[in-house]
Amino acid sequence: MNYEISEKEFTLNIDLHQRLTLLAKEGDLEVADTKQVRANLEKTLAVLADTPYLKFGLEAVPGFNGLASLMVAVEVVADISPSICLSVETSTRVFGKILTQWGTPAIKEKMLPPLLAGKLIGALALSEESMNVENAPLTAGGAVNGDTAEISGKKQYVINAPVADWFAVAGVAEGKSAVFLVKAGTPGLTVGPRKNTPGFQGAAIADITLENCAIPADQILMIPDGQNMLQTLRMWENQVLIGASLGLMKTAFDGARNHAKTHRSGGKPVIAFQEVGFKLSDMLTLFQTSQLFAFRTAWTTENVPADAESLTLCAKVFCSESAEQVAGEAMRILGGAGYETGNPVERASRCVKFLQIAGTSTEIARVKIGDAALGLRN
Amino acid sequence: MEFSFTKEQLMFKKEVIRFAKKEIVPRIQEFELKKQFDFESFKKLGDFGILGLHFPEEYGGGGADVITTVLAGEALGEAGVDGGLTLAYGAHTFLCADTIFSHGTEEQRKKYIPKLASGEWIGCMGLTEPNAGSDVASMTSTAEKKGDKYILNGSKIFITNGPIADVSVVYAKTDMEKKHAGISAFIVEKGTPGFSAGTPLIKMGVCTSQTSELYLSNCEIPAENLLGKEGDGFNMSLQTVEWDRSALLAPFVGAATFMLNRCVAYAKDREQFGRKIGQFQAIKRKIANIRIFGEAARNLVYRIAWCKDQKKPLNHLEAAVAKLFVGDWSMGPSNDAVVLHGGYGYCHEYDMERIFRDSRLAPIGGGTSDIQRMIISKLI
Ligand SMILES: Cc1cc2nc3c(=O)[nH]c(=O)nc-3n(C[C@H](O)[C@H](O)[C@H](O)COP(=O)(O)OP(=O)(O)OC[C@H]3O[C@@H](n4cnc5c(N)ncnc54)[C@H](O)[C@@H]3O)c2cc1C
Ligand SMILES: Cc1cc2nc3c(=O)[nH]c(=O)nc-3n(C[C@H](O)[C@H](O)[C@H](O)COP(=O)(O)OP(=O)(O)OC[C@H]3O[C@@H](n4cnc5c(N)ncnc54)[C@H](O)[C@@H]3O)c2cc1C
């Protein structure tokens, strides 16, 4: 057991903070047109590729502790830019893990080096019209014909879709779960208009349609029997959202604390009033509890895989709900300033709304956690 | 960061659960209804080695680390041991015995620790006064030195094990001019003239623990019963905070697992509208809430324990966060557990109402939730 952030993790955090703060000063990472989103992503990925960050969870990094180290670092990234965090994590961790877990040696050899070098942007196309507790069978998919496959389907809310080089489309091939790797620009692949969202406005999100989209058969990754593709993909998404929760809580808490210490009312800094000071205490309690929960969950994923799924759901519900509460309270502590657009706390409070909706929704997660406890699913 | 336990720690936890389920749990309902302390169960805790687990073997202890000690507390809660007995154990072992062990002379250690570790003697700690609860420094109990004696006067309230204790650690002021720095700690033995306990208070929860006032009326004790130096008392009481925020909170974490297991069993068994109630989403939601609370809370408690094992100075912020979370956020899940059982949840036999009542002490005892918020807001 060790409850401390290591020297190396600490140093990496400082390094990431410095590098990304510089980038954020060069241009707004949070509001950007699609071209700028791509440029921002390229710049940040190049910076991150210079550190061990992109490798976490994909390959062992000496002196670090895999996903647990990632969870520590992702907070810094999400604090500085929630949009970059969402885009980078979707590309590196979710798309990347699809490659490491299900990719053939040839696919790994071709795609992992550019991904780890920050030169490839990936997207996951998973959600269809509605995702239920029981995960209705995916309709996207297609038939394999010799060495090509033609795939069709519609996917919604695909993060990075307007800027991605590659799409991992979850679907069905020959009656079995499969991931289709589709290169951007492949005929038959249409990326819809970019979604207008209240938060994460520096990330590009769109629906995609595949119409008889032909890909080489070696770009179909078949999921081995006994593995649950949907559940696994959702778990990876949930891990990203847990990390984003931590960063957004940090933004909200730090903003509120700094404001409460400097803004005066009735001759005192407002933190001196229990209504404010005690609110901050509750916020910090939720934040610290979420951090430990996230760290232990990340560690468990790699070390006790049997517990990973349900513990991740628990952490996702807790961290995303906490983030929403912390951001809401933070806004009130800032008073009028908290309602002004452009303030990081206001921005965080828009972003956090997403966390409970995306991945496994809070409602569905609770049902699944209940089911797992009742022995109705693992 | 790394979150594993050793094999030995996990095995010991299992052993404690097995022991508690067999030896203690069957007796709880009877004593809970009578609102009486179960001396036999307490002695069994001593015989099993739990009361002195973390003390060195030469003092009759088990030489265990803090994490193991915390796991033992969690195991008691997980087995279904009531909050009254675990509170009695906590006050006895950590608030009383550990204070003597940590600050006493070798003579005091040898005299008291083996008997407290075995459960032959029962200990208590008297800090709170009728008019000095959260504001400890305003206590008015006094200890006046006269020759080789101290004369103690004043009264204490809400003292766990007060009516049954053989040994009390009592805080009193040796210097009324000073606030915290005027507080000193003393060992007072049962039967000392001028020292008495009130009748047990009737409480909402933790009913098998006996809580009372302590009266000090020209109570004369030998000067060597001073613990440490004059004026050290407040710091000694602060040092018990580490135990308070780890070992004393651990049974609440265990109780969350107990509730979870019981709710799951009930939801699988109970049928309404032609279905097991476990099939309703509203029931799954409650079960999920209990699990999420337990998983969230345990990390906070283990963190304090791990830091203590590493001999790191107590992080007051982290300690207050742990106490505040377990205290205030346990209300929802323990309520869910009662409601999930419907009418039966409201009845004694099903244990859930007891856990709900017991858990209401968490935001009050050992520093209220608002005092934790005060500490946190000062430290940020
Ligand atoms: C900005 C954004 C980005 C996204 N990014 C991606 C991405 O990159 N890749 C991707 O694949 N997906 C992505 N998603 C999709 C996201 O995962 C889905 O929105 C989510 O799974 C919910 O699906 P839905 O919107 O169809 O709602 P629905 O499934 O229709 O749910 C509507 C409501 O009903 C509840 N509900 C539904 N079924 C049940 C049930 N059986 N029991 C109890 N409650 C139920 C839900 O919790 C919710 O409150 C993104 C979404 C957004 C908003
Ligand atoms: C079952 C039980 C067992 C106990 N066992 C022991 C024991 O073994 N030994 C021992 O010494 N004590 C024991 N206690 C006492 C316990 O520690 C005190 O009850 C607790 O510290 C609160 O003190 P109080 O009851 O005087 O409340 P008060 O301090 O009077 O507080 C009353 C209310 O005011 C709030 N409050 C107080 N000050 C502030 C402030 N500055 N800002 C905001 N709010 C404030 C509190 O949060 C609380 O809500 C026990 C109590 C109980 C109920």
Side-chain angles (χ1 to χ4, degrees):
Chain A
M1 188 174 278
N2 184 347
Y3 266 81
E4 240 173 14
I5 290 178
S6 72
E7 191 72 35
K8 275 195 144 181
E9 288 167 336
F10 185 75
T11 313
L12 174 64
N13 271 9
I14 304 234
D15 187 29
L16 288 173
H17 190 269
Q18 283 170 347
R19 290 170 188 249
L20 295 178
T21 306
L22 273 180
L23 270 188
K25 276 191 186 139
E26 282 173 19
D28 195 344
L29 300 174
E30 287 312 304
V31 183
D33 62 29
T34 306
K35 234 172 104 187
Q36 195 56 45
V37 170
R38 171 87 201 188
N40 287 344
L41 256 177
E42 283 174 358
K43 268 197 299 192
T44 350
L45 284 168
V47 164
L48 293 173
D50 226 18
T51 73
Y53 184 82
L54 296 181
K55 298 197 179 89
F56 292 144
L58 302 182
E59 58 181 51
V61 188
F64 286 93
N65 199 352
L67 287 179
S69 292
L70 170 69
M71 230 11 127
V72 174
V74 86
E75 180 185 310
V76 178
V77 180
D79 174 31
I80 295 174
S81 172
S83 300
I84 289 290
C85 171
L86 192 65
S87 302
V88 167
E89 287 305 306
T90 301
S91 171
T92 310
R93 237 62 63 179
V94 181
F95 185 85
K97 278 198 225 162
I98 289 172
L99 300 181
T100 55
Q101 178 131 343
W102 295 315
T104 57
I107 289 285
K108 285 184 194 166
E109 200 180 318
K110 175 171 148 194
M111 298 182 77
L112 269 177
L115 187 81
L116 292 173
K119 296 200 160 98
L120 183 160
I121 297 171
L124 166 68
L126 172 65
S127 284
E128 298 187 352
E129 239 172 76
S130 97
M131 299 290 276
N132 202 328
V133 174
E134 295 312 329
N135 286 327
L138 292 173
T139 56
V144 185
N145 254 333
D147 49 8
T148 60
E150 272 198 355
I151 51 172
S152 297
K154 275 188 178 167
K155 296 285 182 179
Q156 60 175 4
Y157 300 113
V158 180
I159 296 169
N160 292 346
V163 295
D165 301 305
W166 282 89
F167 293 83
V169 179
V172 178
E174 323 260 277
K176 288 188 167 183
S177 293
V179 175
F180 307 96
L181 297 176
V182 183
K183 201 168 180 346
T186 306
L189 165 67
T190 316
V191 176
R194 187 169 156 201
K195 301 260 180 202
N196 233 329
T197 53
F200 293 103
Q201 290 165 339
I205 302 163
D207 295 345
I208 65 166
T209 312
L210 301 140
E211 258 177 305
N212 302 323
C213 181
I215 60 166
D218 61 6
Q219 284 172 210
I220 304 176
L221 313 184
M222 296 305 297
I223 310 304
D225 287 341
Q227 289 191 27
N228 185 332
M229 177 183 74
L230 277 180
Q231 190 169 302
T232 307
L233 290 172
R234 281 283 181 232
M235 186 170 82
W236 293 342
E237 281 183 333
N238 290 337
Q239 286 164 358
V240 171
L241 297 163
I242 291 169
S245 304
L246 299 186
L248 288 165
M249 267 187 271
K250 179 164 167 52
T251 304
F253 176 76
D254 285 353
R257 177 186 53 190
N258 295 342
H259 187 82
K261 283 182 162 182
T262 51
H263 182 75
R264 297 174 76 85
S265 171
K268 298 181 199 176
V270 294
I271 195 173
F273 301 108
Q274 290 189 343
E275 275 293 317
V276 174
F278 284 20
K279 217 189 268 306
L280 281 164
S281 305
D282 283 350
M283 289 158 64
L284 185 72
T285 297
L286 285 174
F287 182 26
Q288 287 205 351
T289 307
S290 298
Q291 283 177 316
L292 290 185
F293 207 159
F295 300 156
R296 183 164 69 93
T297 302
W299 178 86
T300 301
T301 307
E302 284 180 331
N303 294 279
V304 197
D307 294 347
E309 160 75 11
S310 69
L311 198 63
T312 301
L313 289 173
C314 289
K316 202 265 178 174
V317 171
F318 187 83
C319 294
S320 59
E321 286 186 345
S322 296
E324 207 163 330
Q325 197 176 331
V326 168
E329 306 271 30
M331 223 172 157
R332 282 197 291 286
I333 289 177
L334 260 73
Y339 202 63
E340 271 185 52
T341 306
N343 185 310
V345 171
E346 180 269 345
R347 186 189 74 206
S349 69
R350 282 185 280 113
C351 290
V352 289
K353 299 279 171 202
F354 172 66
L355 305 173
Q356 290 197 55
I357 298 170
T360 311
S361 75
T362 296
E363 292 74 18
I364 291 180
R366 277 207 170 80
V367 172
K368 290 191 167 198
I369 296 164
D371 279 351
L374 287 159
L376 300 175
R377 72 176 74 234
N378 61 24
Chain B
M1 263 182 254
E2 203 267 301
F3 299 92
S4 59
F5 296 99
T6 65
K7 251 198 213 139
E8 292 73 25
Q9 286 168 337
L10 292 175
M11 259 165 52
F12 185 69
K13 184 180 171 196
K14 266 195 188 158
E15 289 273 306
V16 175
I17 293 177
R18 201 165 38 219
F19 150 77
K21 279 189 175 164
K22 178 158 174 262
E23 302 289 340
I24 295 181
V25 171
R27 305 168 55 85
I28 291 172
Q29 294 211 347
E30 178 195 342
F31 285 87
E32 174 74 17
L33 276 182
K34 292 194 290 193
K35 296 186 187 292
Q36 276 178 7
F37 184 70
D38 181 0
F39 285 94
E40 198 175 318
S41 284
F42 194 76
K43 189 70 183 61
K44 283 180 178 172
L45 286 177
D47 293 343
F48 190 81
I50 288 179
L51 298 180
L53 197 57
H54 73 286
F55 296 120
E57 287 170 21
E58 61 196 282
Y59 300 98
D65 56 24
V66 184
I67 290 283
T68 304
T69 309
V70 160
L71 286 178
E74 185 185 333
L76 293 177
E78 195 169 326
V81 174
D82 64 300
L85 188 62
T86 54
L87 175 67
Y89 147 58
H92 163 94
T93 296
F94 304 108
L95 307 185
C96 174
D98 192 73
T99 306
I100 297 176
F101 178 77
S102 299
H103 307 287
T105 60
E106 192 50 30
E107 270 187 339
Q108 287 167 332
R109 285 178 168 195
K110 285 207 169 111
K111 177 171 179 192
Y112 296 106
I113 302 303
K115 289 203 162 89
L116 289 168
S118 68
E120 183 183 339
W121 282 353
I122 295 175
C124 76
M125 183 281 287
L127 179 68
T128 307
E129 297 187 357
N131 292 314
S134 303
D135 183 12
V136 173
S138 68
M139 71 166 57
T140 54
S141 292
T142 54
E144 199 187 334
K145 187 153 188 202
K146 281 208 171 144
D148 58 355
K149 310 241 183 257
Y150 279 99
I151 318 289
L152 272 54
N153 277 293
S155 70
K156 299 284 165 185
I157 196 164
F158 303 131
I159 307 309
T160 303
N161 298 343
I164 53 172
D166 302 280
V167 186
S168 308
V169 168
V170 173
Y171 292 86
K173 279 209 168 156
T174 39
D175 186 345
M176 281 304 280
E177 301 293 305
K178 292 184 180 151
K179 295 187 77 178
H180 300 91
I183 300 173
S184 305
F186 301 90
I187 302 172
V188 184
E189 292 185 19
K190 184 178 171 178
T192 306
F195 180 54
S196 59
T199 48
L201 298 167
I202 299 166
K203 311 188 295 298
M204 169 189 187
V206 291
C207 293
T208 67
S209 72
Q210 305 294 290
T211 319
S212 73
E213 293 191 64
L214 297 178
Y215 306 112
L216 301 151
S217 170
N218 289 322
C219 167
E220 248 185 54
I221 56 166
E224 68 256 24
N225 283 20
L226 171 73
L227 274 167
K229 295 199 306 288
E230 280 191 11
D232 282 356
F234 183 72
N235 283 336
M236 289 180 194
S237 73
L238 273 191
Q239 279 176 31
T240 63
V241 165
E242 279 166 295
W243 286 115
D244 209 276
R245 307 305 183 244
S246 54
L248 269 97
L249 290 183
F252 290 104
V253 173
T257 312
F258 177 70
M259 287 192 290
L260 179 67
N261 294 339
R262 291 292 284 269
C263 287
V264 164
Y266 190 75
K268 279 173 150 173
D269 182 57
R270 173 79 176 167
E271 277 185 30
Q272 288 292 289
F273 296 97
R275 287 203 267 171
K276 303 284 185 204
I277 60 165
Q279 288 177 15
F280 299 115
Q281 289 192 348
I283 295 293
K284 295 177 189 180
R285 177 186 183 80
K286 291 179 180 62
I287 288 174
N289 286 343
I290 298 168
R291 165 108 200 260
I292 293 168
F293 166 75
E295 297 292 359
R298 70 179 67 241
N299 308 314
L300 298 166
V301 172
Y302 299 154
R303 172 167 71 175
I304 307 288
W306 180 80
C307 287
K308 189 165 171 58
D309 266 335
Q310 302 304 309
K311 313 247 177 305
K312 292 182 184 300
L314 174 68
N315 182 322
H316 288 279
L317 184 79
E318 292 174 359
V321 161
K323 175 72 167 55
L324 178 56
F325 185 77
V326 174
D328 271 29
W329 273 266
S330 59
M331 174 86 166
S334 48
N335 183 53
D336 280 340
V338 172
V339 176
L340 183 143
H341 282 74
Y344 299 99
Y346 204 66
C347 296
H348 171 74
E349 207 187 323
Y350 280 73
D351 293 326
M352 296 299 110
E353 59 84 36
R354 185 193 80 223
I355 294 187
F356 178 80
R357 288 184 287 104
D358 288 354
S359 74
R360 291 308 81 219
L361 178 61
I364 299 172
T368 66
S369 289
D370 280 333
I371 295 308
Q372 307 313 313
R373 291 186 176 94
M374 205 164 84
I375 294 169
I376 297 168
S377 65
K378 279 194 180 142
L379 290 175
I380 51 182

